Amino acid sequence: MESDSAFVAPEGVYSVTEEHKPPAVPAQSQTAAASIYSPRLSTIIVHFNHSRHGNSPGLAQLLGANLAKDSRREKDKEREKDSKALLDERSLSSSDTPDDNHTSPDITSPQITLVQDSIVSPEPRHKLFAHPSVSGKKKSNYSKPKHNMRTTSSTFITRMQSAEGLSKILASKQGEATFVFYNTGKVFLWYEVGTKAKPLTRISFSAFPTCHDVNPLTASPARLDVVIGFNTGDLVWFDPMSSRYGRLNKQGSISSSPCTAVRWVPSSSSLFLVSHADGTIIVYDKERDDGVFSVTVPGAPASTSNLPRPHAPPSQTPSQVSGEWDPLTTMHVTVPPWHPEATVGGGAKADKGVAKNPVSHWRLSKRGVIDFAFSPNIKHVAAISEDGCLRVIDAFAEQLIDCYASYFGALTCVAWSPDGRLILTGGQDDLLTIFSPWEQRVVARCQGHSSFVSAVAFDELRCDGRTYRFGSVGEDNKLIMWDFSSGALHRPKVQHGHHPRVSMSSSVSLTAAYRRGAGSTIQLVAPRYHPAPSRNEISVVQPVLVKHIEADLLTSLVFLPRALLTATKAGCVRMWVRPLVTPGSARRRGHGRQAPSISDLQDVVA
């Protein structure tokens, strides 16, 4: 059954049913830069409404329509009054959405909140994604880009090609459709999975697209919000349904460093984060214009900064407290002058009432940030950089929580488990590393690749809080799948005087790592920087499947409910259909069982 287009996994056979090859590119247009920016995949599932023929209203319904409308109008007026009163009390931001009140704890309280009874967040200043209003007005959640891509005269967009009768194709769709977006060279493509048809849209740019993301919160049959990042630092907000677009960070007005990753804030219809090759992550609002502001220089005297100096944890040295920025223990935040909490002065007062981009500016590292991922509760961000560190950030408080070093070299990809308990990274050390952010340690390493790991992803259909399925692809042309559970851990070698459960320089338990300070504030006394433990201290997970694919270097991996998508450096995308899943064999999230702690998973090596 094994072949180049099929492989056998523990749950059944995966086979290629669809393949999209890259568009032909003239030889003279091939440049060295094209090989640097690897193809990335973004997917979205859209539910189209079924047709409703034969459901015309009856006579009684027509006669009573006016009465129903009058009653609805009265109810709407009452709701408007209630909502206005609520808005006045809460002073919501112009970038809020109706869904921003998720299940995360209220971080506006001065008391520190324990997350999952383990991790402690630093003292926050404000809600990043719901800070007080600047303009006093609430923008519409359904705004569309300003410019028509078909008629644009911009030299940044060189060509746009759409499928013939695209509007009719979309209007005739029924049920569920899965769309995939990916970049190759200077081209950005939009396909529908499972149709084997030509791309719905193909756009050529004068710069190289490097990353992109689709907003699942606003996805509908009438609209899709896609953000595309470029090697010039430019950003394009694109709606493929209407072929309209808008530009942010135009010509690198905010940052001219190449974009390395972009993610929509899962609870927001307008906010998204972009990481750059200069070691920064910038928060944007798609509905704001570009602004001009001065970035705080790390290590500069406090008088030149428009932010209070970050509090130094007890693990910092006196030299770090005196003003030298250490990216292993702190992150540097620059608040623009139009932010409500910025300390403005002089000419900056003119912009105080005008909300512009960026919303905030984070400097994480002196090396480039490669990728980042939101935790399922949206409160935290896991970011990796070329300095070989994984950083866990409290996104609301805009503060660094923990920093973990890789075993060797830079980290190249990151993913957060569906239940939020684990962070998975791949790197130049040919390893996958499993971190437990709530217990501040490395849980296990996964061996199987013989070259750099390109992408990692969790398979949500086979993650239930007790067993985790995840996959990876690498520059060794291997597609590898892993099952992680207590039974999958292998006993590590034990050196004299070492115990396998002591995996960090800070070996004290997490409960003992915190102490009560003045009032109700909990202070972190464990170090924020965690060196990489040796091989002898960490358990090893072996793969359940290794598939060598005869193709160009593999760069991307996406798990879908019915398929697995892979992409190569040359821009070839393959769809591997999943084996038939029966109700008894699928391990889905949340079946009523209490998920074990990571300590339970480590008992096998005790």
Side-chain angles (χ1 to χ4, degrees):
M1 199 67 184
E2 289 281 349
S3 67
D4 186 47
S5 59
F7 61 85
V8 180
E11 63 273 13
V13 179
Y14 288 72
S15 58
V16 175
T17 59
E18 189 176 329
E19 186 173 4
H20 298 284
K21 294 186 177 181
V25 180
Q28 61 270 21
S29 65
Q30 295 283 359
T31 63
S35 62
I36 298 176
Y37 306 110
S38 302
R40 302 280 188 92
L41 297 176
S42 295
T43 60
I44 191 69
I45 298 175
V46 179
H47 299 274
F48 288 84
N49 296 327
H50 292 277
S51 58
R52 299 181 177 179
H53 298 294
N55 291 334
S56 56
L59 179 61
Q61 292 174 326
L62 292 174
L63 292 175
N66 292 333
L67 295 177
K69 287 181 181 179
D70 293 339
S71 62
R72 281 198 300 267
R73 286 173 184 170
E74 293 178 359
K75 291 180 180 179
D76 290 340
K77 289 180 180 180
E78 293 178 359
R79 289 195 191 101
E80 288 180 3
K81 291 180 180 179
D82 294 340
S83 61
K84 287 181 180 179
L86 182 61
L87 288 175
D88 292 339
E89 292 177 2
R90 295 180 56 193
S91 299
L92 290 178
S93 167
S94 61
S95 58
D96 280 348
T97 69
D99 299 311
D100 61 4
N101 295 324
H102 45 76
T103 57
S104 298
D106 183 7
I107 56 89
T108 56
S109 172
Q111 185 173 356
I112 301 302
T113 302
L114 289 175
V115 181
Q116 294 194 4
D117 299 326
S118 297
I119 196 167
V120 174
S121 300
E123 184 178 356
R125 293 191 308 275
H126 62 276
K127 280 189 176 182
L128 172 64
F129 304 137
H131 56 72
S133 176
V134 176
S135 61
K137 297 181 180 180
K138 185 176 177 61
K139 294 184 179 180
S140 171
N141 295 324
Y142 302 99
S143 61
K144 290 186 177 182
K146 299 178 181 179
H147 310 292
N148 192 326
M149 189 170 285
R150 300 181 186 278
T151 59
T152 183
S153 59
S154 171
T155 57
F156 191 78
I157 302 168
T158 58
R159 190 178 184 185
M160 178 180 179
Q161 296 173 287
S162 297
E164 185 176 354
L166 177 59
S167 58
K168 293 182 179 179
I169 293 175
L170 296 175
S172 63
K173 287 193 176 299
Q174 297 182 18
E176 188 178 273
T178 302
F179 297 120
V180 58
F181 300 87
Y182 75 96
N183 60 288
T184 175
K186 293 185 177 181
V187 178
F188 186 74
L189 298 138
W190 174 31
Y191 278 97
E192 181 182 358
V193 172
T195 59
K196 297 184 180 180
K198 293 182 179 181
L200 297 174
T201 298
R202 173 182 171 179
I203 311 170
S204 299
F205 295 94
S206 60
F208 289 95
T210 58
C211 53
H212 43 88
D213 193 31
V214 191
N215 193 339
L217 184 67
T218 61
S220 70
R223 111 186 235 207
L224 289 175
D225 287 319
V226 183
V227 168
I228 312 170
F230 294 83
N231 66 319
T232 56
D234 291 78
L235 296 163
V236 168
W237 166 32
F238 174 52
D239 179 6
M241 299 291 191
S242 62
S243 299
R244 303 188 69 84
Y245 80 100
R247 285 182 66 181
L248 298 91
N249 192 25
K250 189 174 181 179
Q251 298 179 344
S253 60
I254 297 173
S255 174
S256 59
S257 179
C259 302
T260 57
V262 58
R263 299 282 185 274
W264 287 95
V265 177
S267 64
S268 175
S269 64
S270 61
L271 292 176
F272 60 92
L273 274 61
V274 180
S275 61
H276 290 270
D278 60 357
T280 62
I281 291 181
I282 302 178
V283 186
Y284 289 90
D285 187 332
K286 68 178 176 62
E287 298 178 354
R288 297 186 184 185
D289 297 327
D290 293 341
V292 179
F293 79 112
S294 299
V295 177
T296 302
V297 179
S303 59
T304 64
S305 172
N306 58 2
L307 273 182
R309 185 163 301 281
H311 297 290
S315 59
Q316 282 189 258
T317 62
S319 62
Q320 294 167 344
V321 177
S322 64
E324 297 179 11
W325 178 54
D326 182 5
L328 302 180
T329 57
T330 58
M331 58 181 279
H332 230 73
V333 180
T334 301
V335 173
W338 44 83
H339 192 283
E341 295 190 0
T343 305
V344 297
K349 290 184 179 180
D351 292 329
K352 182 64 178 177
V354 181
K356 297 182 179 180
N357 277 317
V359 177
S360 190
H361 182 283
W362 305 347
R363 183 170 295 278
L364 306 183
S365 172
K366 297 179 180 178
R367 305 284 299 275
V369 176
I370 296 175
D371 199 3
F372 64 94
F374 276 97
S375 63
N377 68 355
I378 313 172
K379 182 173 170 54
H380 298 93
V381 171
I384 58 173
S385 55
E386 292 179 352
D387 61 3
C389 289
L390 163 69
R391 291 172 171 85
V392 181
I393 300 164
D394 187 319
F396 292 153
E398 299 183 276
Q399 293 187 13
L400 179 68
I401 295 176
D402 274 304
C403 180
Y404 302 90
S406 66
Y407 183 75
F408 172 79
L411 295 175
T412 55
C413 45
V414 62
W416 213 303
S417 67
D419 60 1
R421 290 184 178 274
L422 303 175
I423 299 175
L424 180 66
T425 64
Q428 294 180 348
D429 51 14
D430 306 345
L431 297 172
L432 273 68
T433 305
I434 305 173
F435 298 86
S436 171
W438 316 126
E439 297 195 7
Q440 296 183 307
R441 62 172 173 172
V442 176
V443 177
R445 293 192 178 105
C446 306
Q447 294 181 345
H449 283 286
S450 56
S451 187
F452 295 173
V453 182
S454 304
V456 294
F458 281 90
D459 183 357
E460 293 195 27
L461 285 181
R462 299 188 178 276
C463 294
D464 60 7
R466 186 174 297 273
T467 302
Y468 300 85
R469 162 66 64 84
F470 51 86
S472 62
V473 294
E475 295 185 3
D476 52 5
N477 286 8
K478 290 180 182 178
L479 165 63
I480 302 182
M481 291 187 182
W482 321 75
D483 282 342
F484 173 70
S485 65
S486 58
L489 292 177
H490 289 242
R491 180 183 295 275
K493 298 178 182 179
V494 182
Q495 292 181 343
H496 178 70
H498 288 267
H499 192 279
R501 294 190 67 175
V502 182
S503 59
M504 295 289 184
S505 59
S506 171
S507 58
V508 295
S509 67
L510 191 62
T511 303
Y514 301 97
R515 62 179 173 82
R516 288 278 178 181
S520 60
T521 302
I522 301 177
Q523 296 179 345
L524 182 66
V525 298
R528 291 185 182 177
Y529 175 70
H530 308 282
S534 69
R535 286 182 179 268
N536 297 322
E537 301 177 55
I538 299 301
S539 302
V540 177
V541 178
Q542 299 297 336
V544 297
L545 168 81
V546 179
K547 171 62 177 177
H548 190 276
I549 300 177
E550 296 294 338
D552 193 17
L553 302 180
L554 295 170
T555 60
S556 295
L557 172 71
V558 176
F559 284 99
L560 295 175
R562 298 185 181 90
L564 172 70
L565 297 181
T566 59
T568 69
K569 202 171 187 66
C572 179
V573 177
R574 282 182 171 182
M575 185 182 80
W576 307 75
V577 67
R578 284 178 179 268
L580 182 63
V581 179
T582 60
S585 63
R587 296 193 299 271
R588 297 177 181 271
R589 294 172 54 191
H591 286 291
R593 292 187 299 176
Q594 180 65 30
S597 67
I598 302 304
S599 298
D600 297 333
L601 299 178
Q602 282 284 58
D603 286 342
V604 69
V605 299

